[in-house]
Every structure is written in structure tokens, then in C-alpha cells.
Amino acid sequence: MNPVSAVFNSVVLVLLALGVNDVFFAYESSRCSMTYMFEYPEYQKIQLSKKVSRLYPLYELYLYGEGSYAEENKNLTLTGVPVLFLPGNAGSYKQVRSLASVALRKAENIGNQYHFNIFTVNFNEELVALYGGSLRRQTRFVHECIKTILCLYKNQKFPPESVAIIGHSMGGLIARALLTLNHFKPDLINVIITQATPHILPVLSADTYLTDFYTMVNNYWIYNSFKLRNITTLSVAGGYSDYQVRSGLTFLPTSSFHTSALSVVSSAVPRTWASTDHLSIVWCRELVLATARALFDLIDGHTKQINRDPQRRLAVMKHHFVRHPAKHFESRHQITAAFTETPRLITVKDSKWTYTVNKESNESFFAFPLLDKRIVYSHFHCQNTFLYTHSWIFGCNKTVSPKCLQITDLSWETELLPSAKVVTLKLELYSNLSHFILYLPATNGSKFSVECEFLSEETSTIHVPVTHVLSFESKSSIYRFHVPWSHEDVIGLLSDEFPVRIAAKLHAAQPHNDNRMVNLFLYASQECLHEVTISTSFLQILGQIVRFHGVYLPVYIVANLLLAYGAQLHSVLIQGSCMDLDVSLDVAAKPYKVDPILIICKYLLNYKWFKKAWDELMLPQLDAVQLHTFGFWFPLASLFFFIFGTSIAYWSSVGLHSVLRIFSSLWMFFKSSPPVFPKESRFTYRVCVEILFFAFISWRSCGTFSLLLVFLRYLSKVLILYSSVKSNISLKAHMEKLSKQNSVKTDSGTNKKSTQPDFNISHHQTPSSDIKSLDDCLKMHFTILNLNLWIVLLGLPSFVYWLKTLRYNIQLDPDPNRLPALALILILEILMNSSTSAIKSSVCLKTAAVLQLPLSIIIVAFGTLHLYRVSYLIALSLFLHALCCFV
């Protein structure tokens, strides 16, 4: 082991571990409250037609209920608003209980003027994020469920014509996929709310079914957005606490025609202001309450169903999930108002004003004249800790209404924050007003404070150059990290006892045509002073790199292994011997062999002639181009991950070598005779039987399962070979030691006849040339075993899905790895029964060695967003080696 290489790869691995730690452990503790049921939850199974039950025997539809409500609905005489909940990857239909219970209580609180019938689908907890073969089947089943649900309301006065859908994780993608079905009517859905759903890309592109499904859904929503304008869609992300689905993946792909889509992060949702993990997003009380309030505000009071106006529905969503004005939602709120009697105005001429109420207060009106303030100041800012939902700030023009009887309600410009409601009014927008009027109602026992001031934007804003420019506004006990191009704000309270660390991290990159700056707003009390320090966190940079690109690591690990594999084949061709894997990684695994080619291709694709030639060759789109389009890529990402991949490939080979050493020692301890590695035998009767056996397993069960068995078989072969080499080297060293002892005795003139018996070792000792050949075989087989291991790891998602559904069906259908597994079984059986010496004279050896570099480039170019392609390219690499055994 090269010590310099070991130290370098150790440092790189530590840096990667620090980034992983930042993603999985360095986030704030949960600020969500648990949602509890008031009564025992009940799930009434809805009887589906025999045809549907036969087509989808593993899926079920349920109606949620509690107590008397559950009893009333036993006969399915439903009068509410239908809502359908779709669980996600490995999700349970019972996850609906938090939202359903809150909605039930809220309906009781308003006297059951209207209520919701919440249905939930049982997808048998299928792992659809790992295996895409079930996504279309789930989508078709949901379509049948919607038709069944609507049939339950036939006798209602205003029967619903559509269903609101709430989807968690992959359930949200299923909801959007409904529109792609041939006979699906878009009018069957009015609202889609998704929670922690990866809309843009799959978290792990494990198979072609998954990536094709995403492509189909997103293309339909982009190219048919005009048809979908009547469907209101809301996507809620969990923030940094959700390390399973990065929030940047949850933003809905939109177009200029689709204006009824909204994407937010839970930390920015008013009255929630908390990041949620992937599961808590369905039971986080603050977020559940926001969702329930929005659902009730969506109801049309006349029909008692979801309002048909998409603009009103979008306004409701923005009210509850984007900007809450500390008032109840009103679809057509009154901007102009009038006092019934002349208010007693208290004029405030100061530029800064504070009013505090400790116990009781009478109704008060404070007037702030604007005429002399417009010259010096640009904004008027007020912060009020009295959070009652009433109008509290107005505008008046005394030239029109001298006694201010006619007023303009400015309360809709208010924004609700964790401990106060604030309003910032730009004076030039209200040139028609002469006064701002602040209204404080009569209170008894309430304690609150109001602070207002006129301020100048220039003097209250500081522009600070950092990684992304931040601007700082006034100083206070509430902070808000605002990202203007996406709803991912972080809002919280400052403390005087200890400093608050605000992570200026983004979920979505800044669009190319957007030059707005990220802002940090500090809502300040006039007496408070705050010190703001900006520093770069190297650990959080590493965390962002891992968060955005960590899933692509297997691509770079395999690319490094193929470069090392090519170097080994080249050393066999030139030197007649094989290098160790760690040595070949040092020699061949260099980023400059791969990255420049991809950068040049990405640059040339901007030219029409090159793009035309690319398309004529029917080459798929470069993954780096797609990532750049989504804003998920930066220039040095590939370089960093190539280095990370080299380090992981290096230490994984060291780890696998250590495992072999341990098992070899155990093997030799329990074996009485030294192991003998069988001679090369490509197509013996035993080999043919093995091939047929593994092929049968692949065809009748799961392709990855058969590859796992082949890997274990290959591991046993390598273990025997390792033990054989180790035994022969030990025996050779022992014989050399005995030979030296005999030589010393001869030199000392001892002619006495030895009393010890002579060692006849000719049948035990392997010649040195054969030991060298076995050692070369071991090095080559060890690299092939590494590649075989990654084939199995990349196929694990479908294998795990198969294991989970094994009790229902022994065969995985469809199986993304069945056909590749059949080819790999043949290739690996040939390779595990071959030797390095057999390929030295092959005319294909040079070609096999040279093509490993292009294959590495292709893996990085086309496997980053399509991990399943990596296995195909490994198979092609191994096929070239297997071909050398015959040609």
C-alpha cells in the first residue's frame, strides 16, 4: 500500500464523512407538535367492483372515521366533500389519520355546516421509490378509486364532480400521473396537495421504469399545462430535516401557461415555520392545521363543495402557505371602508413611536401624517404583537375626507410572523394618502406592544458580498431569511442569551434570468442592537455538495474502477503481469481523463451543428446538461465527486481485501489440506449446469437475486484462489528457509548424515512461475469481484421490493434486471473460470484495455441521472474481457 495514496484517500474520505454528517445530523431539532386523535380511528373498507378487485388484488380503498361519525357512515350515505389521501413509498394508508381527525374536529367546531369525507388508499406499502414497475398500476387503481368515490354521492343535492387529492411522497407523483391516463377526465380533480414529493427527478434512478414514468408525467404537465389550468396544485417540502427527499426536487415543473401551481418549503409556511422530516410532514400539527384551514376555505358555501374558481383556490393556498395577513381569508376583501362616527385621532409626529399596553386599554386611533415624511423617508414600518385577526392599519386622505370617515384598509399588506404581525408600506405607492391610521381595539387583560417608524431604505439596508449577496434590513427579535425566487424562507426568533446561527443555504438555485438578491430581514425593536457576523462554513458547503449530488457517487466510484480495470488489462498486455487494484487506481484514476471530454461536449452542444449531429447519432441527452437546466449542477461538482469516488473505490477495495484475508484464514484453519484452485475450464458440464441454474432463478424470480447468488459463487472462487496463493507463498517461504539452513550446515563442513527424514515436497510445492500466475489471476478476479459487487448494489432496490412482495408472487414482474442478469450470468461464469495467462495472447486484449476509458466517460455522461445504465456498461466492460478468453 502506497502510504501517500493512503493518506490522501483518508483525508478525502474524512471530508466526505463531514459532508454526510451535515446532511443527516446537523439540522435543528423538530419544532413540530404531535397531532393526536380525539377518538379511536376507524378505517371502513370500501367495496370495489369485482373487476377492479381482480385486477388489483393487493390494493384497497378505505374511508376514515371516528366515533359517531364513523357509525353514521357505515351505510355510506355521504354528504361531505370527498378528499383522497395517497401514501408514498412504503407508506401506510393509516397516515391519513392526523389530517382527517383535525378536519373532523374543525367541522364540529363550525356546527357541521360542511365537512370532509376523507378516503385513503392502501398500496400495500410498496417501495415505489426504489422500483418503478408498480407506478402505472397504482395510477390506474387510483383512477378506479376516484370513480368509485364519486358514485357514492349520486343522491346528494349538489353531488361532487371532482375529488381533492393529498399525496405524500410518491403518492403526490401518482396524483399528477392520473392526468396522463388515456381515459382520465381532468375535471375529476380540482386540487392536488403533495407533501415531500420529488416532482422533478427520482431520488434514486434505480430502473428505467422509474425514469420513464417521471419523464412521461413531467412532459405531460409541461406541454399540456393549458389543459391543466383548472387544477390547483400545491407542493410542500420538508426543508433540511428531510434528508430522504431534498426540497429542491419537490418544486413543481411549471410553464407560463400553468399559473395555478405553487411550491413552498414548510419552514416558510405561516404559523408552521418548522422544517419537517419525511414522515413527520404528515403529522406535524402546525402544518396539518394549515392544510385543514386551507381545505375549509376552499369550500363554496352555496354548493358545499370545493370552489370551481381556480383563481380563488390559488388565493386560498397563498393565504395559508405563502403570506398570511393575520386576517381570515376573504375572497373579495374590502379595500375601502368607512367609520360610522368620527374617530378621535391622536396625531403622532415622531419618526419613531412605541406604544405598550400592560393590562387594559381603550379603543384608540393614532394618525401618522405623511406630507413632511415623504421628503426624508421611503417606508413606513409597524410591528404589532396584538395578533387578533382584525383590521388595524388604514390610510386616509384628509383633502377628500377631512374627518377621515372614508379610509383605505391597508391591513391586507400585513405579514404574520412567529410573535408579531408586521407591515412595511412604501410611501411612493400611497401618494394619494395624507395619513396612516393605526387602530388599537379596547382590551382587558391583554399585554402587547406596537412599534412604528419611518425609515429610509438606503440607510436601513446593507449590501454584503458573500457567496450569494445578502441584504440586511432593520434589527430586531425576529429574523427572516428570504429567498425571493422560491418560497423557502426560514423564519425564527432571536435570543439575547445566546447567538443564533442562521444557515444561508438554498434548496433551489437562482434562475438565470433572475437578478434578485437573497435577503435577511431583522425586525428590530428600537432599543435593541444586534451584531451580525457573516462567515463561510466549510462543513455546510460539504453538506450542500453531498445533499445535492451525493446520490451520484456510485457513478464516479464505478468510473474509477473501470479506469483501474483498464490499467490492469494494459499491464497484462505490456508487462505480462497484473497490477494490484490500489496501484492501478493510483496510476489510472485521474479526473483529467474524463472531465475535459464532458466539458467540451457540454460546450459544443450549445452549437446547432453539433446538437444536430448528436441527435442524428441518436445519443441520449447529456445528464450534465439536464442537471444544469434544473439548477442542480455546478462546474466543480464532477471534479469533487471523481476524487470522492477514487477514495471510496480505494478504501472499499482495502475493506474487501481484509474480508478475504479473514475468511481465508478461517478457511485454512478448518481445512486439513491446502486449497487447490481449479484449472481453467470454461464450459465444463458443471459450469453449464451453474449457468442454467442461475438463469432459471433469474427468469422465475428476480434478476438481482440471481446476480447476488453469482456474486457469492464468485466470492467463494476468489476465496479459494486467495487461500491457494497464500498457502503456496507460505510454503515457498518455508522451503526457502529450510534451504538456507541446509546451506549453512553444508558450509560449516558438517558431513554427518542427518537424522531427520528428507522432505519429498515435489507434489506439494507449486513452481514460482505458477505462483506468479495465480497471483495475477487473484488481482484480476479481485477487480472483477469489485465490479460484480457494484452490479448487485445497483440492483438492490428492485431486490428489496421483490423480497417485500415475495409472499404474494415469487416472480418480480416487470423485472428491470432480468435480461441484463441473463447476460451477466454467462459473462461472469466465463470469467470466474478463466485465468490471466489465457488472455495474454488475445488479439482483443488491447481493445478491451483501451475501451475502459471511453466506458468510464460514458458512465459519467449518461449514468448520473440514470443509475441503471451503469450496470449495463459494467456488463459491456466485462463482456470485452470475456471475449478475450476466446479470441
Side-chain angles (χ1 to χ4, degrees), residues 848-884:
V850 170
L851 286 180
Q852 300 307 315
L853 174 58
L855 288 175
S856 300
I857 296 172
I858 293 172
I859 279 181
V860 177
F862 304 113
T864 309
L865 291 178
H866 306 82
L867 280 178
Y868 61 90
R869 292 175 179 170
V870 176
S871 297
Y872 303 159
L873 293 167
I874 295 176
L876 180 57
S877 172
L878 296 176
F879 169 75
L880 295 172
H881 186 169
L883 194 62
C884 294

Side-chain angles (χ1 to χ4, degrees), residues 356-360 385-387 443-449:
T356 303
V357 175
N358 290 321
K359 291 184 179 180
E360 298 180 3
T385 61
F386 192 68
L387 300 180
T443 60
N444 183 12
S446 298
K447 185 177 180 180
F448 65 92
S449 64

Side-chain angles (χ1 to χ4, degrees), residues 36-44 63-67 70 94 96-98 100-101 104-105:
Y36 296 96
M37 281 74 257
F38 287 80
E39 297 179 86
Y40 189 79
E42 297 182 32
Y43 304 90
Q44 181 180 350
L63 172 65
Y64 180 87
E66 292 180 18
K94 296 181 179 180
V96 74
R97 60 183 177 269
S98 296
S101 182
L104 185 60
R105 298 283 86 78

Side-chain angles (χ1 to χ4, degrees), residues 590-601:
K590 306 297 182 185
Y592 60 79
K593 294 184 177 181
V594 175
D595 277 352
I597 305 297
L598 298 179
I599 293 171
I600 292 171
C601 287

Side-chain angles (χ1 to χ4, degrees), residues 33-238:
S33 305
M34 177 64 77
T35 305
Y36 296 96
M37 281 74 257
F38 287 80
E39 297 179 86
Y40 189 79
E42 297 182 32
Y43 304 90
Q44 181 180 350
K45 186 176 179 180
I46 305 299
Q47 190 66 38
L48 301 172
S49 66
K50 292 182 179 180
K51 179 182 177 182
V52 173
S53 299
R54 185 178 70 255
L55 289 174
Y56 312 100
L58 302 182
Y59 302 155
E60 297 167 320
L61 176 65
Y62 290 90
L63 172 65
Y64 180 87
E66 292 180 18
S68 59
Y69 169 77
E71 289 297 324
E72 292 172 2
N73 291 326
K74 289 292 185 183
N75 58 358
L76 294 179
T77 305
L78 305 178
T79 58
V81 181
V83 176
L84 179 61
F85 176 79
L86 305 179
N89 177 60
S92 169
Y93 65 96
K94 296 181 179 180
Q95 289 175 313
V96 74
R97 60 183 177 269
S98 296
L99 176 63
S101 182
V102 169
L104 185 60
R105 298 283 86 78
K106 188 169 177 62
E108 291 177 353
N109 292 339
I110 62 173
N112 286 311
Q113 298 176 30
Y114 30 77
H115 65 279
F116 290 92
N117 303 127
I118 300 186
F119 299 84
T120 179
V121 172
N122 178 17
F123 284 135
N124 197 34
E125 300 184 9
E126 290 182 335
L127 301 170
V128 287
L130 303 180
Y131 168 75
S134 294
L135 289 170
R136 294 177 186 270
R137 183 163 58 243
Q138 288 189 1
T139 305
R140 290 191 294 267
F141 177 73
V142 173
H143 184 198
E144 298 296 335
C145 288
I146 291 175
K147 291 189 289 186
T148 301
I149 290 170
L150 293 178
C151 285
L152 299 175
Y153 295 85
K154 286 181 178 179
N155 299 324
Q156 197 169 322
K157 183 178 179 181
F158 295 103
E161 299 176 355
S162 57
V163 174
I165 297 181
I166 298 175
H168 172 242
S169 186
M170 296 297 286
L173 187 68
I174 295 294
R176 291 177 59 225
L178 285 167
L179 282 304
T180 66
L181 297 177
N182 291 331
H183 302 291
F184 187 84
K185 299 177 181 179
D187 294 339
L188 293 179
I189 303 176
N190 45 38
V191 173
I192 297 176
I193 299 176
T194 67
Q195 300 171 328
T197 298
H199 289 293
I200 296 178
L201 294 169
V203 175
L204 189 69
S205 53
D207 58 61
T208 182
Y209 304 120
L210 195 58
T211 55
D212 289 349
F213 190 81
Y214 264 88
T215 302
M216 175 189 68
V217 173
N218 286 332
N219 285 347
Y220 185 89
W221 277 70
I222 291 172
Y223 299 126
N224 297 275
S225 55
F226 186 75
K227 298 178 182 178
L228 309 176
R229 65 189 183 279
N230 291 325
I231 299 176
T232 304
T233 312
L234 170 70
S235 173
V236 183

Side-chain angles (χ1 to χ4, degrees), residues 344 346 355 361-366 438-442:
R344 298 179 59 185
I346 303 173
Y355 185 81
S361 67
N362 297 321
E363 185 179 64
S364 306
F365 295 89
F366 298 91
L438 200 66
Y439 166 64
L440 298 179

Side-chain angles (χ1 to χ4, degrees), residues 428-690:
E428 69 177 10
L429 298 179
Y430 302 97
S431 57
N432 62 323
L433 301 179
S434 63
H435 291 73
F436 287 141
I437 298 175
L438 200 66
Y439 166 64
L440 298 179
T443 60
N444 183 12
S446 298
K447 185 177 180 180
F448 65 92
S449 64
V450 183
E451 297 179 74
C452 296
E453 68 172 317
F454 289 90
L455 53 88
S456 172
E457 185 177 20
E458 293 182 0
T459 58
S460 300
T461 305
I462 303 174
H463 298 277
V464 184
V466 288
T467 307
H468 289 285
V469 181
L470 300 176
S471 68
F472 291 85
E473 185 110 0
S474 50
K475 305 174 181 179
S476 85
S477 59
I478 304 174
Y479 70 85
R480 177 184 178 186
F481 181 74
H482 175 59
V483 182
W485 56 83
S486 64
H487 303 295
E488 54 176 276
D489 295 10
V490 177
I491 302 170
L493 299 175
L494 298 175
S495 172
D496 295 331
E497 299 177 0
F498 55 88
V500 174
R501 301 178 68 88
I502 304 170
K505 300 186 290 188
L506 300 179
H507 295 291
Q510 186 176 18
H512 299 296
N513 57 350
D514 194 326
N515 58 2
R516 290 175 293 176
M517 295 181 294
V518 172
N519 300 301
L520 178 62
F521 293 98
L522 301 178
Y523 297 94
S525 174
Q526 298 171 24
E527 294 79 15
C528 294
L529 293 176
H530 295 282
E531 179 182 346
V532 179
T533 304
I534 302 176
S535 60
T536 301
S537 172
F538 182 65
L539 294 182
Q540 292 194 16
I541 291 174
L542 289 174
Q544 285 291 81
I545 292 173
V546 173
R547 181 177 286 105
F548 273 73
H549 310 294
V551 71
Y552 312 135
L553 259 177
V555 174
Y556 290 90
I557 296 171
V558 173
N560 276 278
L561 287 174
L562 288 186
L563 290 175
Y565 187 34
Q568 287 181 315
L569 292 173
H570 191 264
S571 69
V572 172
L573 175 67
I574 302 300
Q575 302 172 4
S577 61
C578 184
M579 292 189 295
D580 284 313
L581 179 57
D582 55 343
V583 176
S584 60
L585 280 169
D586 289 340
V587 171
K590 306 297 182 185
Y592 60 79
K593 294 184 177 181
V594 175
D595 277 352
I597 305 297
L598 298 179
I599 293 171
I600 292 171
C601 287
K602 184 173 177 293
Y603 174 76
L604 291 176
L605 281 170
N606 294 320
Y607 292 93
K608 292 182 179 180
W609 63 268
F610 189 81
K611 182 69 169 64
K612 183 179 179 181
W614 186 280
D615 293 338
E616 287 177 352
L617 292 172
M618 293 186 293
L619 294 174
Q621 188 176 8
L622 206 63
D623 284 356
V625 173
Q626 288 184 267
L627 287 169
H628 187 265
T629 303
F630 295 139
F632 296 161
W633 201 248
F634 65 97
L636 296 179
S638 184
L639 174 62
F640 286 154
F641 273 86
F642 200 97
I643 296 172
F644 289 152
T646 306
S647 176
I648 294 176
Y650 180 89
W651 284 111
S652 63
S653 67
V654 171
L656 186 57
H657 196 274
S658 301
V659 171
L660 284 176
R661 184 184 299 113
I662 293 170
F663 279 100
S664 173
S665 300
L666 293 174
W667 178 284
M668 295 176 67
F669 178 79
F670 290 107
K671 271 286 198 181
S672 56
S673 58
V676 179
F677 187 73
K679 294 183 179 180
E680 181 179 0
S681 53
R682 293 170 195 159
F683 285 110
T684 62
Y685 177 76
R686 179 184 54 78
V687 172
C688 292
V689 169
E690 284 185 7

